[in-house]
Amino acid sequence: MKLEGLTVLLTGSNGTLGKELIPLLRAKGAKLLLPSHSDFPVEDILVVNEYARENRFDVIIHTAAWTDVPGAEKRKNHQKVIECNIEGTGNMKYIAGIHEAKLIYISTDYVYSGVDGCYDVKAPTKPTTFYGFTKLAGESFVDIKKDMVIRTS
């Protein structure tokens, strides 16, 4: 994907993956919007919508997520995990639609059962963790004809 001259909204830019992507995206000539979670909580549609009104972007790379897998399995955290991984992704798709921007959603191999390994894109999904379920549910917002899902491990 050619990024030179495009504005990229990178969610989760303070996370492990986000920090690694910043220099790579800059090297490709992208202009970056790097809001912090405190300024841009992806799960808060009112804040997200206001940000989208104030900023223009061509691409959203959505790396923001609840990534503490053991913590995600604890019932007391389920609502927060849902808000971040499912509702937050829906909010990113919503603002992508406002700007006709491409959405690149960073998902996980936890959407698979974990039994076989070496999964390809056509392998059936069958998450066995709450975390995997929420990331798969987030994938449902992505238009695979226009957008992209990247499943990391």
Side-chain angles (χ1 to χ4, degrees):
M1 174 181 215
K2 184 179 174 189
L3 295 174
E4 186 152 356
L6 296 182
T7 300
V8 175
L9 169 58
L10 178 62
T11 70
S13 61
N14 287 322
T16 303
L17 179 58
K19 287 178 183 176
E20 293 293 323
L21 288 175
I22 291 169
L24 300 173
L25 295 167
R26 284 190 174 135
K28 293 291 184 181
K31 177 185 173 197
L32 299 180
L33 298 174
L34 306 169
S36 67
H37 183 262
S38 61
D39 294 331
F40 188 73
V42 296
E43 63 277 10
D44 187 334
I45 188 59
L46 298 176
V47 173
V48 165
N49 197 35
E50 181 69 22
Y51 188 90
R53 280 200 304 265
E54 295 174 358
N55 295 278
R56 306 292 305 168
F57 42 84
D58 305 295
V59 178
I60 300 172
I61 302 178
H62 181 42
T63 72
W66 179 293
T67 58
D68 172 11
V69 177
E73 303 311 302
K74 295 178 181 173
R75 187 156 180 75
K76 69 179 184 176
N77 295 328
H78 283 187
Q79 186 60 40
K80 289 180 181 177
V81 178
I82 289 168
E83 289 169 359
C84 188
N85 292 355
I86 301 174
E87 294 173 16
T89 305
N91 293 342
M92 293 308 98
K93 182 58 184 174
Y94 173 73
I95 65 169
I98 290 171
H99 290 293
E100 297 182 4
K102 181 179 190 82
L103 175 63
I104 301 171
Y105 175 56
I106 306 302
S107 189
T108 176
D109 63 351
Y110 278 82
V111 302
Y112 301 113
S113 67
V115 174
D116 299 321
C118 297
Y119 297 100
D120 66 26
V121 295
K122 294 181 182 179
T125 55
K126 186 178 179 183
T128 59
T129 63
F130 189 74
Y131 168 75
F133 165 77
T134 62
K135 293 299 283 182
L136 182 60
E139 288 184 17
S140 69
F141 291 103
V142 179
D143 178 351
I144 61 171
K145 292 180 181 171
K146 177 183 178 185
D147 303 320
M148 183 184 302
V149 172
I150 299 173
R151 293 179 178 154
T152 63
S153 62

